[in-house]
Amino acid sequence: LLINAGYSVEKKLVTSRDIYMKDQFPDKVDVAPEYVGGVLDYLSTVNDPDAETITTSDLDETLTAGEQLMKEKGIAFLNPAEATDTNAFFVTQEYAEDNDVSKLSDLRGKKITLAGHADCEARLDCAKGLEKVYGIKLKEVLPLGFASDQTYQSVADGESQLGLTSTTDGTLEEQGFVLLEDDKSVQPVQNLVPVVSQKFLDDHTDVVDALNPLMDKLTTDDLTELNRRVGVEREKVEDVAQDYLTEQSLLG
């Protein structure tokens, strides 16, 4: 979309948020695809890991709470999409049926091994929240990755009972897994959103016209289907994205 609007785009690929947020943004990066809650949780805890999170499950409330942090960092959100993509936890269909489990609160008091990413253990939207809010007794958190083949395999093999993925994982049904409902709303709002350098936005106000139309159309169902095409049908990311932008008449 940026290229279509006449921008020369240099892509920088990073492995985690703290890498580009700490050393590159907003001085060396102009625009980043992000999640509302992820950005604000980072900004509120970067200097104090024990600080109370400002995010909630309400989008407007969270945006208002984060205004000052965004201003201090020198960045701004464009329009958040309706599409949201939060952490989610899955079990095998067999485990769900045998234990009558459909939501995370059904696991209260159970001793569970969780497969997830390396920083899951300390995060409220991951292991910490499962223990504190849901009362799940985590025997172990295996650092096998977020929605990785290793995490899927660990749950399928019974090494772990619970695996970490996202709410838009389009591969679960195919693999015989089911998501458990976050019925106590541990997950903060994670609407997709372009986050931009305030200086860049001031100098290039037309970036709003390039990116907001996508945000105004993108839904969670759209995102899940796009992920399914990549994860199950093995289509190329670039092709899937191009198809969607064309179908939605976003390329002019």
Side-chain angles (χ1 to χ4, degrees):
L1 288 173
L2 290 169
I3 292 171
N4 187 61
Y7 287 93
S8 175
V9 177
E10 177 189 357
K11 290 182 287 187
K12 293 185 176 183
L13 302 181
V14 296
T15 55
S16 62
R17 177 180 291 115
D18 60 320
I19 289 177
Y20 88 89
M21 273 282 188
K22 188 176 294 184
D23 300 325
Q24 302 178 34
F25 197 44
D27 297 327
K28 299 177 182 177
V29 170
D30 300 312
V31 182
E34 261 292 1
Y35 303 93
V36 169
V39 170
L40 296 181
D41 277 341
Y42 172 84
L43 292 178
S44 64
T45 60
V46 63
N47 295 318
D48 181 4
D50 296 322
E52 188 173 341
T53 180
I54 64 170
T55 58
T56 71
S57 57
D58 182 275
L59 177 59
D60 292 336
E61 185 179 281
T62 297
L63 290 172
T64 298
E67 284 178 356
Q68 186 58 35
L69 286 174
M70 298 285 285
K71 185 176 181 180
E72 291 171 1
K73 179 68 172 173
I75 59 179
F77 286 141
L78 300 188
N79 284 359
E82 181 273 327
T84 184
D85 191 15
T86 68
N87 277 355
F89 301 91
F90 67 91
V91 296
T92 63
Q93 183 73 47
E94 182 181 8
Y95 183 91
E97 293 172 355
D98 289 349
N99 294 275
D100 194 23
V101 169
S102 62
K103 53 188 184 296
L104 286 170
S105 59
D106 292 332
L107 295 177
R108 183 174 187 82
K110 292 185 181 294
K111 294 182 179 179
I112 296 290
T113 296
L114 168 66
H117 52 58
D119 63 349
C120 173
E121 196 159 2
R123 291 176 54 162
L124 185 61
D125 63 351
C126 205
K128 198 172 178 181
L130 294 180
E131 292 180 313
K132 284 193 170 186
V133 178
Y134 283 105
I136 299 171
K137 298 177 180 179
L138 293 178
K139 294 187 294 184
E140 190 176 6
V141 179
L142 303 178
L144 299 178
F146 179 88
S148 66
D149 289 341
Q150 291 89 343
T151 288
Y152 293 138
Q153 196 62 53
S154 179
V155 177
D157 291 346
E159 177 187 38
S160 306
Q161 292 75 50
L162 199 60
L164 176 65
T165 185
S166 73
T167 49
T168 61
D169 188 336
T171 72
L172 294 180
E173 184 177 357
E174 181 93 1
Q175 300 185 78
F177 299 134
V178 292
L179 282 183
L180 299 184
E181 179 189 351
D182 176 26
D183 53 307
K184 293 185 181 294
S185 300
V186 164
Q187 301 302 322
V189 290
Q190 296 290 15
N191 298 68
L192 274 68
V193 64
V195 59
V196 299
S197 155
Q198 184 63 59
K199 183 179 184 303
F200 178 80
L201 182 58
D202 291 341
D203 294 340
H204 302 86
T205 56
D206 60 341
V207 74
V208 173
D209 300 324
L211 298 180
N212 274 352
L214 170 61
M215 295 299 102
D216 293 342
K217 290 191 174 186
L218 190 63
T219 69
T220 302
D221 286 344
D222 290 342
L223 196 59
T224 303
E225 172 58 15
L226 299 178
N227 285 341
R228 188 198 65 78
R229 287 177 59 183
V230 173
V232 176
E233 304 297 334
R234 301 300 182 187
E235 296 183 56
K236 292 182 179 179
V237 170
E238 294 84 354
D239 294 341
V240 173
Q242 183 78 25
D243 285 350
Y244 182 79
L245 296 177
T246 301
E247 290 165 4
Q248 298 296 325
S249 302
L250 290 168
L251 293 175

